[in-house]
Amino acid sequence: MATPSRKSSTPSTVASKRALPRDPPSEVPSKRRSSAPSAPPPPPPSSRPFVEGSIVRIVMENFLTYDICEVSPGPHLNMIIGANGTGKSSIVCAICLGLAGKPAFMGRADKVGFFVKRGCSKGMVEIELFRTSGNLIITREIDVAKNQSSWFINKKSTTQKVVEEQVAALNIQVGNLCQFLPQDKVGEFAKLSKIELLEATEKSIGPPEMHRYHCELKNFREKEKQLETSCKEKTEYLEKMIQRNERYKQDVERFYERKRHLDLIEMLEAKRPWVEYENVRQEYEEVKLARDRVKEEVRKLKEGQIPMTRRIEEIERQRHTLEARIKEKATDIKETSQKCKQKQDIIERKDKQIEELQQALTVKQNEEHDRQRRISNTRKMIEDLQNELKTAENCENLQPQIDAITNDLRRVQDEKASCEGEVIDKRGEKESLEKERKSVGDNIVRFDNLMNQKEDKLRQRYRDTYDAVLWLRNNRDKFKQRVCEPIMLTINMKDNKNAKYIENHISSNDLRAFVFESQEDMEIFLREIRDNKKLRVNAVIAPKSSYADKAPSRSLNELKPYGFFSYLRELFDAPDPVMSFLCCYYHIHEVPVGTERTRERIERVIQETQLKQMYTAEEKYVVKTSFYSNKVISSNTSLKVAQFLTVTVDLEQRRHLEEQLREINRKLQAVEAGLIALCERNKHLEHKDNELRQKKKELLERKTKKRQLEQKISSKLGSLKLMEQDTCNLEEEERKASTKIKELNVQKAKLVTELTNFVKICTSLHIQKVDLILQNTTVISEKNKLESDYMAASSQLRITEQHFIELDESRQRLLQKCKELMKRARQVCNLGAEQTVPQEYQTAFQDLPNTLDEIDALLTEERSRASCFTGLNPTVVEEYTKREEEIEQLTEELKIKKVELDKYRENISQVKERWLNPLKELVEKINEKFSNFFSSMQCAGEVDLHTENEEDYDKYGIRIRVKFRSSTQLHELTPHHQSGGERSVSTMLYLMALQELNRCPFRVVDEINQGMDPINERRVFEMVVNTACKENTSQYFFITPKLLQNLPYSEKMTVLFVYNGPHMLEPNRWNLKAFQRRRRRITFTQPSQ
């Protein structure tokens, strides 16, 4: 990790324009191992023109940049000067926090622990305030771990609340921008609203009771608004209550009218169940009579069905007898039919036997004819073979020719076998080469896929660069020397885990840059790509002399004890121009890469190796030496995850594979050419082999032809002898067949006679069966008619019975309903089971309608009339009375509220007079001084009390209007209208206007002159000196990093210089008197020179 360089500062003298010896010492001591300088003790409070609450002494220990520091400001203007970062604003922070200010007000940090010097566990701030009764010493000790503070007053422990009370008693307001304006809050002063500026001004320069009066006025006005609202609401509510009660007078009258209608409705509802009961009772009697009539009808229908049932049973018995006889006849017919079938089958078998005898005779006749034909053919064939045998030549001289052809055939077959072996070998060699070519091609495709992944990443992230790569690949012939594609494509990581080091070391602009060896080539490329194609690409030139193989300044073996395992250059491969460029401009041959072990001992590595850059497992370290202090400063950053170089493509191996593929293709071509030649040769040998075989076959056939003819003649003679011996007597066979056929015809005639008798018997049985079936059909028809009549009678009986059941159920239902209606009618009249209807009900019922329709019509009418009286209930009269009492109570409360409102208005008038008049006078004084200050700068400005409504005391505010050019009008000071310098001048002059009127013991303004132009800065400085150095003005702290030359100074000013650096004098060795004596001697000796 980086070790921050330490700064130190030395005390400076309290210098005025004349640097008088009597001026009190004031210094800003060292930020390192410093203590209060040995200086004469300050004069007693009575001899110093401090106002009540001014700061006499400030002590800081382990606070921000300070180790130990003590500052003794003057009673009037204190000018704190020092370069940026020396610790001026640290004094302002010490004043704020030492006087119980909030850390967030400083705008630096929200926790007090952040103000303690780094590396320290505790810090301390001590402020000594002037007080006529005895100075007040406030001490604040800060604990970093707990982020808490311990408070002491005059070395005695106390609480923050007590400190805040003591500080407030001295009218010190470190949270008021009109009194305390730190560096980070300067811009916020102009952002104060008019209301906030008035409140800050009241607290800052107004009498203590002014702000209190203002707060009372705002509270009184708020109470007044609340009382006015309350009185208005109560008045409106009271009027509504009175109006509502007026309406309720009519409602009470309508309530009684509605009650008369409800009583009539009650009586109608009481009579209605009795009328309904009587109607149901009459209906019950009618249903009972109808049920009895239907019951008699059912009895008559049942008696009429008995004869019909008996006749149906008799017919059914007759039908069963006929069906039994029909079954018997069917059985006889079946048996006779079977006998006919048997006789018919026998006749068919006899016919078949006759046919078979005739066919056998025909076969024998055909065989005899065929034998005679074959004998004739064989004799002719023997004659032809004997003639051919006579003409056959002598074949004894053919054997030498056959032997010569056999030898030629054996030689050709040997050559053919040899050729086929070579073809097999060539084909095996071809298959092996094709497999090898496929393997190499697959490897090349795999490399291309990896390369495509890198190109896809380039296309997605840098499309212009990708398009330029495609153009380059198609136009390489336009360049004289080598042109390398973007570095991210040409770099090939040996281990993709190390890609993060390369990507964090080489900028993204250079990673996508094209590398050229020639300036001319680069100009051609950029002219075409940037100017013509409008693509945004980067290009670099490799050094003329190669750096690719340049050795590192120190061996890697020297660095291995620190955990380093490689230099960046050894982690990847790249073309020589790319490697040379990276070594030249990124020194990759000098930057080592370490492990987690390196990070653990990083401080030792930085001190001992003196490396400028290095990498650990997850961090990059850069070591620099300070130009001013020669201190070693290191910084570290976490490594980003690699995005582009994680894909590894071994280009050398890919080139080797391409060469291997070309060699394989060359070999394949040679093998295929040899294979074609062998195939042609093998084809020629095959043709020759076939020719020799054909010649040999012809010679062998000529040699064996005579022997074959003799064998055929002998064979044919044997066959002829056998055929002549196999003779057959056709006449005898014909006679035997004729005898058998006659016998079979006699048997067949007898069987036909028997079959005819069985057919006659079967016909007679069918006639008898048909007659029985007709009788049965007649019986069934009669039965169906009877059953139809019976079903009709039964259906009528079921309908009548169902009607009877329905009537009986209706009777029972009506009986039950009568009982229920009687019970309900008695319940309505509150009668017991044995009680009769009271006379009062009977009398009332006589005047009411006697039918349900009339009762329902009258009920509807009365209910409609009663429904017209909506919103009425028995509690209307009670609510009316209760509301009358509430109206009386509200009237009394309203009177009390009005008296209280008049009292508040009187208080507002009194407090307003005590607050507004002094405030107007105070604002007028501020305006007078503010306007004078602006007039002296040839500008214009005014301050007024602004409000939109005189009664809205929370809307009162102070409005500042300024103009810096004569051609413009006065404009209100806002964060947007004026420039930064104009806002700073306006803020400073407003604070100056408050200075003489101020009742606060001191004022702090930090670096407000930074945005001013030199003219305004000089004018404002003069005003600050003249105003802050007057008698009876409060203490003033003005912090600035620089001043203009030849500014006016006052003897009442106190100038505090803040210096720092490694060669400053230690504070305990600083002697103000000795410094003054040396200064006087130099001053006195200068004229003589």
Side-chain angles (χ1 to χ4, degrees):
M1 293 177 64
T3 56
S5 60
R6 304 187 62 184
K7 299 179 181 179
S8 62
S9 64
T10 187
S12 65
T13 60
V14 176
S16 68
K17 187 174 183 182
R18 299 179 181 178
L20 298 176
R22 62 183 178 82
D23 288 343
S26 178
E27 60 281 330
V28 180
S30 170
K31 299 181 183 178
R32 179 181 62 186
R33 301 187 304 277
S34 61
S35 60
S38 58
S46 59
S47 65
R48 302 183 69 178
F50 285 99
V51 299
E52 191 82 3
S54 296
I55 297 175
V56 177
R57 182 172 57 89
I58 305 169
V59 179
M60 295 167 285
E61 183 176 344
N62 296 332
F63 186 80
L64 289 176
T65 57
Y66 295 105
D67 291 334
I68 299 174
C69 176
E70 182 173 340
V71 181
S72 298
H76 297 292
L77 177 59
N78 290 274
M79 190 78 66
I80 303 177
I81 304 174
N84 288 330
T86 54
K88 304 184 301 300
S89 296
S90 299
I91 299 174
V92 178
C93 295
I95 295 173
C96 177
L97 297 180
L99 297 177
K102 304 297 182 184
F105 179 72
M106 303 304 300
R108 290 194 173 196
D110 56 351
K111 294 183 180 180
V112 71
F114 291 153
F115 289 87
V116 177
K117 186 175 182 180
R118 184 174 295 179
C120 300
S121 60
K122 289 186 177 181
M124 184 272 290
V125 176
E126 185 174 279
I127 307 292
E128 183 176 352
L129 302 176
F130 177 77
R131 199 168 57 176
T132 54
S133 60
N135 287 0
L136 180 68
I137 300 174
I138 299 174
T139 306
R140 182 174 189 171
E141 294 183 356
I142 304 169
D143 190 329
V144 176
K146 298 180 181 179
N147 194 39
Q148 293 179 352
S149 300
S150 301
W151 296 90
F152 301 89
I153 294 181
N154 294 332
K155 306 301 180 182
K156 294 182 180 179
S157 179
T158 185
T159 62
Q160 182 175 348
K161 185 177 181 181
V162 174
V163 173
E164 291 173 349
E165 292 172 353
Q166 293 282 354
V167 170
L170 295 172
N171 199 27
I172 297 173
Q173 306 164 23
V174 293
N176 190 339
L177 294 181
C178 289
Q179 180 178 345
F180 198 90
L181 192 62
Q183 177 182 354
D184 296 324
K185 296 289 183 177
V186 171
E188 293 189 10
F189 185 87
K191 297 180 183 178
L192 289 176
S193 65
K194 295 186 285 291
I195 299 170
E196 293 171 337
L197 185 59
L198 173 61
E199 184 178 352
T201 304
E202 285 178 342
K203 292 179 180 179
S204 178
I205 64 172
E209 65 274 6
M210 179 177 286
H211 182 64
R212 178 167 53 83
Y213 286 156
H214 191 185
C215 294
E216 288 179 1
L217 274 175
K218 289 189 282 187
N219 292 333
F220 286 158
R221 176 58 181 160
E222 188 65 29
K223 288 285 187 180
E224 181 186 11
K225 289 181 180 178
Q226 292 176 359
L227 287 171
E228 287 176 349
T229 304
S230 178
C231 289
K232 183 179 179 182
E233 291 175 352
K234 287 185 180 294
T235 302
E236 292 175 354
Y237 184 62
L238 181 61
E239 291 176 356
K240 290 180 181 178
M241 295 287 285
I242 293 172
Q243 293 174 2
R244 191 179 302 171
N245 241 21
E246 286 297 325
R247 284 199 312 271
Y248 282 174
K249 284 183 180 179
Q250 299 176 359
D251 292 343
V252 171
E253 294 174 356
R254 294 170 63 217
F255 173 78
Y256 291 110
E257 185 178 355
R258 178 173 178 270
K259 189 172 184 303
R260 288 194 296 273
H261 290 292
L262 293 176
D263 291 342
L264 180 57
I265 289 171
E266 182 181 358
M267 194 58 64
L268 286 169
E269 290 176 346
K271 183 176 181 181
R272 190 179 188 287
W274 291 101
V275 175
E276 190 175 2
Y277 163 74
E278 183 62 25
N279 292 341
V280 173
R281 189 188 65 77
Q282 292 177 2
E283 185 180 357
Y284 167 75
E285 293 296 334
E286 293 174 357
V287 169
K288 184 179 178 183
L289 291 174
R291 189 202 69 156
D292 293 340
R293 289 196 299 271
V294 171
K295 185 177 181 182
E296 180 63 22
E297 186 177 352
V298 168
R299 184 185 64 77
K300 291 179 180 179
L301 287 172
K302 286 183 177 180
E303 289 177 354
Q305 278 186 331
I306 293 173
M308 197 179 300
T309 304
R310 291 174 180 171
R311 178 58 183 163
I312 289 172
E313 291 175 353
E314 181 180 349
I315 291 174
E316 182 67 19
R317 287 194 296 272
Q318 187 178 354
R319 185 181 67 80
H320 284 307
T321 303
L322 288 172
E323 287 180 353
R325 291 177 62 188
I326 289 171
K327 287 181 180 180
E328 290 176 358
K329 294 299 179 181
T331 302
D332 293 342
I333 290 171
K334 185 177 180 181
E335 292 176 352
T336 305
S337 297
Q338 287 179 350
K339 291 178 180 178
C340 290
K341 182 69 170 56
Q342 290 174 357
K343 296 299 180 180
Q344 191 174 0
D345 291 341
I346 294 171
I347 292 171
E348 289 177 354
R349 284 198 297 272
K350 296 299 180 179
D351 290 338
K352 190 173 181 181
Q353 288 176 3
I354 293 170
E355 185 178 357
E356 288 175 353
L357 288 172
Q358 291 174 348
Q359 288 178 354
L361 180 60
T362 302
V363 169
K364 287 181 180 181
Q365 291 173 350
N366 291 336
E367 286 178 353
E368 180 61 23
H369 292 314
D370 184 63
R371 186 178 70 83
Q372 293 296 331
R373 182 182 56 79
R374 284 188 288 111
I375 288 171
S376 175
N377 290 336
T378 301
R379 286 175 178 170
K380 184 178 180 181
M381 190 179 297
I382 291 170
E383 184 179 354
D384 292 338
L385 288 173
Q386 287 174 349
N387 293 332
E388 186 177 357
L389 179 61
K390 290 178 182 179
T391 60
E393 65 178 348
N394 187 9
C395 299
E396 294 178 358
N397 56 350
L398 295 178
Q399 187 61 39
Q401 296 179 24
I402 294 172
D403 294 338
I405 292 174
T406 302
N407 292 332
D408 292 340
L409 184 62
R410 188 178 299 112
R411 178 177 53 78
V412 170
Q413 287 177 347
D414 291 341
E415 291 181 4
K416 184 180 175 184
S418 174
C419 184
E420 288 177 350
E422 291 180 6
V423 168
I424 292 171
D425 293 340
K426 289 290 183 180
R427 286 176 177 170
E429 184 179 357
K430 181 181 177 181
E431 290 178 0
S432 176
L433 288 172
E434 286 177 346
K435 289 180 181 179
E436 187 176 356
R437 182 174 66 177
K438 185 178 183 301
S439 175
V440 172
D442 292 342
N443 289 334
I444 291 175
V445 170
R446 182 170 55 82
F447 278 112
D448 290 341
N449 291 338
L450 294 175
M451 196 65 186
N452 289 337
Q453 292 180 20
K454 296 178 74 173
E455 292 177 3
D456 286 342
K457 290 184 178 181
L458 177 65
R459 177 175 54 80
Q460 293 170 8
R461 187 71 177 273
Y462 307 110
R463 184 55 188 254
D464 287 0
T465 305
Y466 176 76
D467 293 341
V469 170
L470 298 180
W471 182 89
L472 175 64
R473 291 174 180 175
N474 296 326
N475 297 276
R476 288 191 179 273
D477 55 339
K478 294 184 179 181
F479 304 102
K480 297 179 180 179
Q481 297 187 26
R482 186 176 181 182
V483 179
C484 295
E485 293 182 359
I487 293 177
M488 67 171 62
L489 295 180
T490 57
I491 283 181
N492 182 46
M493 299 301 303
K494 296 179 180 178
D495 186 348
N496 55 15
K497 294 180 182 178
N498 298 322
K500 58 184 177 181
Y501 302 118
I502 307 303
E503 289 195 22
N504 281 272
H505 192 72
I506 304 173
S507 69
S508 60
N509 287 336
D510 283 345
L511 274 176
R512 57 191 177 95
F514 293 81
V515 181
F516 294 83
E517 292 183 336
S518 167
Q519 179 71 27
E520 182 182 353
D521 288 345
M522 187 173 77
E523 291 174 356
I524 294 171
F525 177 80
L526 294 179
R527 185 164 55 251
E528 179 66 29
I529 296 300
R530 288 186 180 174
D531 300 342
N532 297 340
K533 295 186 176 296
K534 307 299 181 184
L535 300 178
R536 293 177 295 176
V537 297
N538 296 335
V540 297
I541 296 181
K544 292 183 179 180
S545 58
S546 179
Y547 284 75
D549 298 325
K550 188 176 181 180
S553 57
R554 57 196 307 171
S555 172
L556 183 63
N557 293 330
E558 298 178 19
L559 300 178
K560 285 186 177 179
Y562 301 103
F564 294 106
F565 63 88
S566 176
Y567 285 106
L568 287 177
R569 183 175 62 185
E570 278 67 42
L571 297 180
F572 64 92
D573 295 323
D576 188 74
V578 175
M579 189 68 78
S580 179
F581 170 77
L582 295 177
C583 288
C584 180
Y585 293 101
Y586 284 93
H587 308 287
I588 58 174
H589 62 294
E590 296 283 2
V591 179
V593 181
T595 60
E596 191 65 25
R597 178 184 171 194
T598 309
R599 191 193 65 79
E600 292 173 356
R601 53 182 69 184
I602 190 64
E603 293 184 1
R604 178 185 165 195
V605 173
I606 292 172
Q607 293 173 1
E608 295 180 2
T609 61
Q610 297 181 354
L611 292 168
K612 300 299 182 184
Q613 294 185 66
M614 68 195 79
Y615 287 87
T616 64
E618 296 296 335
E619 293 175 328
K620 175 184 179 181
Y621 286 84
V622 179
V623 182
K624 297 181 180 178
T625 304
S626 174
F627 181 76
Y628 297 99
S629 62
N630 290 328
K631 292 287 184 67
V632 175
I633 303 173
S634 67
S635 62
N636 66 305
T637 55
S638 296
L639 297 181
K640 299 177 182 177
V641 178
Q643 298 179 354
F644 299 106
L645 303 180
T646 53
V647 178
T648 301
V649 180
D650 191 341
L651 297 179
E652 186 63 31
Q653 186 177 355
R654 190 184 186 282
R655 285 194 293 271
H656 175 71
L657 288 172
E658 288 177 348
E659 293 176 358
Q660 189 177 353
L661 182 62
R662 285 194 293 270
E663 180 64 22
I664 290 171
N665 288 332
R666 187 186 60 77
K667 290 180 178 179
L668 267 175
Q669 291 176 358
V671 169
E672 287 177 352
L675 190 60
I676 291 171
L678 287 172
C679 288
E680 289 294 330
R681 183 183 172 195
N682 189 44
K683 186 177 180 181
H684 175 71
L685 292 173
E686 183 74 23
H687 180 67
K688 191 173 182 181
D689 180 74
N690 291 334
E691 290 179 350
L692 292 173
R693 287 180 181 274
Q694 184 64 28
K695 289 179 180 180
K696 184 177 179 181
K697 181 179 180 183
E698 292 175 355
L699 292 174
L700 289 174
E701 287 178 353
R702 288 170 60 189
K703 182 179 179 180
T704 57
K705 188 174 183 181
K706 183 179 180 181
R707 185 172 58 253
Q708 291 176 354
L709 289 173
E710 292 174 349
Q711 290 176 354
K712 286 181 180 180
I713 291 171
S714 175
S715 175
K716 293 299 180 181
L717 289 173
S719 298
L720 178 61
K721 186 177 181 180
L722 291 174
M723 284 187 290
E724 289 176 346
Q725 292 175 356
D726 187 14
T727 59
C728 177
N729 190 352
L730 286 177
E731 294 179 356
E732 181 65 23
E733 293 295 332
E734 290 175 356
R735 186 184 59 77
K736 291 179 180 178
S738 177
T739 303
K740 290 181 180 179
I741 289 171
K742 288 179 180 179
E743 291 176 357
L744 290 173
N745 284 330
V746 173
Q747 295 174 3
K748 181 178 175 184
K750 185 178 180 181
L751 289 171
V752 168
T753 303
E754 293 176 356
L755 176 61
T756 302
N757 294 331
F758 283 125
V759 169
K760 290 179 180 179
I761 295 170
C762 186
T763 302
S764 175
L765 290 173
H766 275 291
I767 293 171
Q768 295 174 12
K769 179 183 177 183
V770 169
D771 183 52
L772 290 173
I773 289 173
L774 289 173
Q775 294 179 21
N776 188 43
T777 302
T778 304
V779 172
I780 291 172
S781 176
E782 185 180 359
K783 177 189 174 186
N784 289 340
K785 184 176 182 306
L786 289 171
E787 286 180 345
S788 177
D789 295 340
Y790 180 81
M791 291 297 292
S794 299
S795 176
Q796 182 63 31
L797 177 62
R798 283 195 302 274
I799 292 171
T800 306
E801 287 178 342
Q802 183 65 29
H803 188 202
F804 171 77
I805 293 170
E806 292 174 355
L807 289 172
D808 189 60
E809 290 176 353
S810 178
R811 181 190 67 80
Q812 294 178 0
R813 185 172 65 255
L814 289 171
L815 178 62
Q816 183 65 26
K817 189 173 181 181
C818 285
K819 293 179 181 178
E820 292 175 356
L821 288 172
M822 174 63 74
K823 183 178 180 181
R824 192 175 73 179
R826 289 182 175 277
Q827 286 177 351
V828 170
C829 297
N830 295 321
L831 299 177
E834 303 297 332
Q835 290 180 317
T836 59
V837 180
Q839 186 63 38
E840 57 181 7
Y841 278 100
Q842 295 180 11
T843 304
F845 287 168
Q846 291 176 358
D847 299 332
L848 298 176
N850 294 322
T851 65
L852 286 176
D853 293 338
E854 292 175 346
I855 290 173
D856 289 340
L858 186 57
L859 268 175
T860 302
E861 182 181 353
E862 291 300 320
R863 284 170 179 165
S864 298
R865 290 178 179 178
S867 65
C868 294
F869 301 94
T870 58
L872 300 177
N873 54 59
T875 62
V876 170
V877 178
E878 181 181 351
E879 290 180 358
Y880 179 82
T881 306
K882 183 178 179 182
R883 198 173 289 108
E884 284 289 336
E885 296 174 356
E886 190 175 353
I887 289 171
E888 184 178 353
Q889 182 180 355
L890 276 174
T891 304
E892 187 65 27
E893 289 179 1
L894 188 59
K895 289 180 181 178
I896 296 172
K897 290 287 183 182
K898 287 182 178 179
V899 171
E900 187 177 358
L901 178 61
D902 293 338
K903 184 178 179 182
Y904 266 104
R905 287 174 176 169
E906 184 179 355
N907 290 338
I908 288 172
S909 178
Q910 295 174 0
V911 175
K912 179 180 179 181
E913 185 177 355
R914 291 197 294 268
W915 170 73
L916 189 57
N917 293 335
L919 178 61
K920 288 181 178 179
E921 293 176 3
L922 182 63
V923 172
E924 186 60 36
K925 291 178 183 180
I926 297 172
N927 180 46
E928 180 181 356
K929 294 184 178 297
F930 188 74
S931 299
N932 291 338
F933 287 144
F934 261 87
S935 297
S936 65
M937 296 177 60
Q938 287 77 44
C939 300
E942 66 177 29
V943 177
D944 62 358
L945 189 64
H946 179 268
T947 183
E948 296 177 358
N949 185 0
E950 190 176 352
E951 301 300 325
D952 290 337
Y953 304 107
D954 56 345
K955 299 294 193 310
Y956 275 78
I958 287 181
R959 180 174 60 179
I960 301 175
R961 297 192 298 164
V962 296
K963 74 171 184 175
F964 289 87
R965 286 165 290 280
S966 59
S967 60
T968 60
Q969 299 294 325
L970 287 169
H971 287 283
E972 186 175 348
L973 181 65
T974 65
H976 312 293
H977 190 275
Q978 290 81 14
S979 66
E982 290 172 349
R983 292 199 300 272
S984 298
V985 170
S986 303
T987 302
M988 195 68 187
L989 294 184
Y990 184 78
L991 296 178
M992 287 293 97
L994 301 182
Q995 179 69 15
E996 294 183 3
L997 304 173
N998 195 10
R999 294 295 178 266
C1000 63
F1002 64 87
R1003 187 183 310 282
V1004 177
V1005 179
D1006 191 358
E1007 295 191 16
I1008 198 171
N1009 60 332
Q1010 292 305 297
M1012 300 181 189
D1013 58 81
I1015 297 174
N1016 286 334
E1017 184 177 355
R1018 184 177 297 277
R1019 291 173 178 173
V1020 170
F1021 185 82
E1022 292 177 0
M1023 295 177 192
V1024 172
V1025 173
N1026 294 334
T1027 304
C1029 293
K1030 290 181 180 179
E1031 294 294 336
N1032 299 323
T1033 59
S1034 60
Q1035 195 178 30
Y1036 201 100
F1037 290 89
F1038 186 83
I1039 293 91
T1040 178
K1042 52 88 180 178
L1043 288 176
L1044 299 174
Q1045 296 181 358
N1046 301 321
L1047 292 175
Y1049 296 93
S1050 172
E1051 293 183 355
K1052 293 183 180 181
M1053 287 175 58
T1054 301
V1055 182
L1056 304 171
F1057 292 92
V1058 183
Y1059 292 100
N1060 65 32
H1063 307 298
M1064 298 301 294
L1065 191 65
E1066 294 290 341
N1068 54 8
R1069 296 171 57 191
W1070 179 261
N1071 191 322
L1072 180 61
K1073 290 183 177 180
F1075 175 78
Q1076 290 174 340
R1077 285 196 299 271
R1078 288 195 298 273
R1079 184 72 181 94
R1080 291 193 192 99
R1081 285 199 298 271
I1082 294 171
T1083 303
F1084 293 151
T1085 56
Q1086 279 178 352
S1088 62
Q1089 295 176 354

